[in-house]
Amino acid sequence: MTQLRYLLLISRQGKVRLMKWYTPLSSKEKTKITNELTQTVLARKPKMCNIINYSDHKVVYRRYASLYFIAGITPDIGNELLTLELIHRYVETMDAYFGNVCELDIIFNFTKAYDILNEMIMCDGSLAESSKRNILQTMTAMDSMDNHDKLDRVLS
Amino acid sequence: MENPIGSTKNTIKGLQLFIADLRTTQHSQDHEKRINYELVKIKKQFEPYANLSDPSSSSPSSTTATATTTSLKLDGYQRKKYVAKLAYIYITTNTSKLNELLFGLDQILNLIDSNHYSEKFMGYLILSLFFEHERIITLINHTRFLQRLLSDLSANKDDFTSLALNFIGTVGNLHSNLASNEEIVNSVFQIIRSPTSSQYLKKKSTLTFLSLLKNNLSILTDNFQRKQIWIQKIIALLDDTDNYRVTLTALPLVEYIASNIDPSYCFRIVPQLTDILYTCVVLGTKDSGIYRFPIEYKFANIPNPWLITKVVSLLSKLIAPPYQEIDPPRNMNKQCLHPSDLDPETLNKLRKCVVDAISLGHRKSSDPIERIVQNTVLFSLIKFAPKLDPSNEAIINSVNTLCLLLRSSEINIRYLTLDSLIQLCSDSGRVAVDTVSNENLDLIVHLMNNERDMSILRKTIDLLYILANVDTVKVIVAHYLNFISNMKQSSDPQVKSNVSVKIAVLIEKFATDPNWYIETSLKILSLTPDNSFHHDNIHNHLNDNNELWYRLCQIVVNNPQLRKLTCHNLLGYLVKRHTSEYIVKTAAFLLGQYPSLIVKQISIDNLFSIFAEKYYTVFNMTKAMILTTMIQLYKFEPNLVGSKVIKFFQLELNPLDIELQTRAYEYLKIIQISKMSGNMTLINTLFETMPSFNTKSNPLLKRLGGLQQDNHSNDSDIEFSKLTISNKISSDDSSKDAENIGPFNSVPNNISMQQPPLVPLSIKSRTAKNNRLPLPIQENNNNTNAKGLNNRYIQQMLTSTWKEGFTRMLQHKQGIFYSSPLIKILYRITHIEPYQIKIGFTYINQTEWDITGLSTEFIAAHIENNPEYIFQNIEALTSSNIKPHKRTEQNVQVVIRKPFNIEECPLMNVYFNCGSTSNHTTLKLGIAIISTINSEKLNSNTITSVTLPQFITRWRTLGTALGKEAECHVANILMVNTNETQERHNSIESMLTILQTRLKRIGMNIIEQTNVSNTLFVASIVHTKTDGNFGCLMKLQCQQDYTVNITCKTTLAGPLATYVVDCLRWIISN
């Protein structure tokens, strides 16, 4: 009963840049999924379908520049196109936050990338916020608090 | 484009340097070195704290204090930096270094304890990464952490609360420790219910609660009262119509409750959901018009597709799939609503949504994302459409729209179109299937033959399978055969065997012509790749193709009329140069069994030569089978092939394979023994003709996975599991395989002849999917208690002031049903038939604020097994929002089918939000058996003419005919005065007057007489729809102490008299 099982960001070189598991899986299973999907997805040609059947569930992926966004969804509960849109919305939001987001942004600011994701998706892949602006507002608020903390530190 | 917010100002310099450093060291050795160096460094930094905290771990609070307050070298910023470095190591090493990072756990917890937002944020974030590991969860599952979490949840600062919620919300369903903590659950729910929580926190807490609930259903199921109240509060969250932010998060939670706890709580929100959907799909997609959907909540120019799909998905849960042909009795299956339960307005709105989604699918758009979103909406609504009891045109329209999309240039769209078509065809049955196959079969076949993408190819094959029926099976099978014979060698062997299995199932299911069946079966066998070449000992799923020939052999053995034809055709294949392994196997088995059938075509001698030749081209498993065939040929014609067979076995005494050797040796011995004894008894006993198979299941169906359930229910009872049949076959085989060749008499003779699998030579009346009985009906236990009452009915707790409205409704045709400082409910009763009562409700907002999310629910005492009364035509509220001092209306009808007890009068729930509170009222409707007495037209001509002597005659007749069975006597009912003044109450006359008015209001006829001064004689007729009409005679005797004695006789034996008297007693004493 989980729509989104996991989300992986994998670079073209096959390095994991971000991963988030929404279902409890053993480390062994996670490694297996990561390795197998990296292989499968990287081998696929650009014109191929973005939806693949993988073990007992479906995998929806999409490539943005040098990064592959890979999501595992439960068939019949998760919706394939909607997952693509979810990925797109995530990328859009990061794009607005970082300004033309690239892989390096996600590497160096991994905490922010996670944070944006957590603001968007909670629980089992349920969307917590669909509005880009609202997420960005939250992020700004957080950043300003961050700055405030920093100022406190310098002054003390 | 607005300026990016993520500036570099907020970054941690040390961390950035470290990351950059790691990136320059591309060699894995240097990389490793750098990481280890850093780990040592961090460990050194953390060490003093570890030393401090470990010995004093008995008092965790002091640890915290030392760690945060003492001004040792490590301040919050540095702690944050080092922990972030650990997190980066964790990610970049792909979690493989987790064990070496555990030392930092204490510092992560210290970060969470910090009062600085940025530190707390980092602590929670990184803990949520680590929390994915069971080990970490057990390590930190102690009171210090849980206390911190709790205090953050109830913190004054929304930011801290939101961090804690985020943490629980993203990891809460990974482990049960959070969900089983009552305090955490309560604090999270507190945020949901509190009217002062911000929208931001509300939506976060909703999803957080969902993740806790998923892990621990007992949060809602253990405590009944909590279940009632909490679910109601949760449903109230849907009412966020301004921008649907909270609605969006509440939908998954409500859906989870509907599918895992109790859907009946959610039935009342169907009109509300419909409105949301209508607003998004119908109003929101129009560019013109008064209504404009807030742009911020649109995605690619379409109103919130997530909201739309979630509403549709919840509606699909609540509305049952259609049942054609069999009309399930109303209200029987309360696990779901039926389209007929929906009021016409809601149903029309939903249908309109589907229509608009379809036209949206036709809309041209240059933006690829916009097209995807359009199609998301289209697909989700088309999948939902069959539940709306659609007309044939509507189905055809949906199918045609989808078929257009099959030509889409976008590959994902094609994929999903196929997916939707498969579902639509299985849900909507014949109409959809015919529409697709009449107009688009060629297109689909073209797709199958030309599509290179495996995902799409599989779907195309599945779709064709769903389309197959008696009329189309030959065409489709021909296309399938053409497909597998043209397939390239390199392509996926699984696809090929998948198609083969589908053909085999289809021809067995729909074959009308035995020739065609046999020819096609053999053709598939000849085309199916043999996967056993990998090696015999790899018993993986690829070898399942064996089931194809197993099944054919079973059918041929069980159907003697097919044997000759099959053997003849097999021979045709055998004489060819290249013969598929499966054909050889089938031939070895069947020709060995029935050599007599082909002696006209070929001599046994030649047949032996053919097998001897094939022997060297096949695998060991097949070789073993051929050895058995040879001894069977020997059995048939010992003189003709005797010497050749013996020679062959002798040669095979020294092959490499031990099984073949054993088998050859043993067969040789058998021949020797029979030659010595001079008769064939031994051989004849050992190699008796195969008895019929008695397996009832078709193993091939198992391989179709979910597809078979969608479309073709199976004629053959699938009671045996796949295991049973493969066991059976392998035990049969094993005697041939020479594995257990020792006990020769173990030839299966225990096989009985019951129900062999028959080839359907005539089309039996097939059970189509659609007339399968709805399963959940039988689950009465969940829905009813011992008395057969609807569980939902028992669960209700009446609002304290219910009696007033109930009593009023029993007597008056209109009036105030309920009144509170917030809302007033008026009612008006009209009789359509004496037993069919229409109640019009008016809800009036009494406050200065808007009432929103108004919804009502009507609950009958019985919903199963021929209920006494039912609700009908429950109309939607004219509006679910009421402006201050305005009103909204609703009509509902009750049909009284049989007499019923006043205790079981219908209930009504009213829910609404006002201000920031959500409210709930449960009332009892004053609709009882006496409500059917009230009928003007009947009163006027039949009963009014009854005179006292007539009454007495009837009274006596009833007494002699039915005796005490149809009588009820209740004495000394104390009369309570409500409206009339006290003085008038003092005499029997005034009592009689009051009583008379009340009885007349109900519609009872009081016989005019002067003989007995203290008694009223009443005659009336009770009407019911199913049981008919009954006469009812009553004597009401008033006594000096303000009490009344009632005696009632009815023309129906049983409790009817008691029911009527109970109603009167209620009216008199309330």
Side-chain angles (χ1 to χ4, degrees), chain B residues 955 968-975 991-992 995 999 1014-1018 1034-1048 1061 1064-1065 1068:
Chain B
W955 185 267
C968 174
H969 177 77
V970 179
N972 302 326
I973 304 169
L974 185 67
M975 187 147 159
M991 270 179 77
L992 282 172
L995 209 52
L999 293 177
N1014 68 342
T1015 304
L1016 293 176
F1017 296 91
V1018 180
M1034 267 182 290
K1035 285 187 200 171
L1036 290 95
Q1037 186 187 21
C1038 294
Q1039 297 173 133
Q1040 283 297 347
D1041 54 354
Y1042 316 133
T1043 56
V1044 184
N1045 292 342
I1046 307 179
T1047 313
C1048 172
V1061 172
L1064 288 183
R1065 174 156 60 176
I1068 293 169

Side-chain angles (χ1 to χ4, degrees), chain B residues 535-584:
Chain B
H535 200 278
D536 281 337
N537 60 12
I538 302 176
H539 284 292
N540 56 11
H541 60 283
L542 289 173
N543 264 330
D544 281 359
N545 283 335
N546 277 328
E547 283 161 0
L548 287 174
W549 72 267
Y550 290 168
R551 185 66 183 168
L552 178 65
C553 290
Q554 285 181 356
I555 288 171
V556 173
V557 167
N558 286 10
N559 295 275
Q561 74 275 29
L562 296 178
R563 290 177 189 161
K564 187 161 188 183
L565 183 73
T566 318
C567 292
H568 185 84
N569 280 338
L570 274 172
L571 201 58
Y573 277 105
L574 271 188
V575 293
K576 286 184 191 155
R577 182 177 283 268
H578 296 294
T579 316
S580 125
E581 188 86 13
Y582 291 121
I583 290 282
V584 179

Side-chain angles (χ1 to χ4, degrees), chain A residues 37-100:
Chain A
L37 281 183
T38 309
Q39 265 183 14
T40 322
V41 171
L42 293 187
R44 287 178 74 86
K45 298 189 180 69
K47 285 263 165 153
M48 281 182 162
C49 188
N50 294 97
I51 305 150
I52 39 180
N53 288 323
Y54 170 73
S55 96
D56 64 335
H57 59 280
K58 283 189 178 178
V59 168
V60 177
Y61 72 93
R62 197 176 170 108
R63 183 178 167 177
Y64 288 90
S66 58
L67 271 186
Y68 285 88
F69 290 69
I70 303 170
I73 58 172
T74 307
D76 302 328
I77 300 172
N79 178 319
E80 299 88 347
L81 281 186
L82 210 61
T83 312
L84 279 180
E85 286 153 33
L86 198 72
I87 294 176
H88 190 76
R89 177 105 287 181
Y90 180 40
V91 175
E92 269 187 351
T93 313
M94 284 203 288
D95 210 40
Y97 180 78
F98 291 112
N100 208 357

Side-chain angles (χ1 to χ4, degrees), chain B residues 227-254:
Chain B
K227 175 175 163 188
Q228 291 258 323
I229 298 170
W230 286 25
I231 292 183
Q232 188 211 328
K233 298 275 176 204
I234 289 167
I235 288 177
L237 291 171
L238 292 175
D239 184 44
D240 175 34
T241 40
D242 288 341
N243 49 24
Y244 301 113
R245 277 177 82 189
V246 180
T247 313
L248 181 70
T249 57
L251 281 169
L253 179 55
V254 175

Side-chain angles (χ1 to χ4, degrees), chain B residues 678-697:
Chain B
N679 63 44
M680 297 285 285
T681 330
L682 180 62
I683 295 188
N684 284 342
T685 319
L686 291 176
F687 298 98
E688 236 175 26
T689 335
M690 194 75 190
S692 289
F693 292 89
N694 69 341
T695 45
K696 287 188 233 164
S697 74

Side-chain angles (χ1 to χ4, degrees), chain B residues 1015-1028:
Chain B
T1015 304
L1016 293 176
F1017 296 91
V1018 180
S1020 40
I1021 294 179
V1022 170
H1023 302 83
T1024 64
K1025 188 179 182 200
T1026 315
D1027 285 7

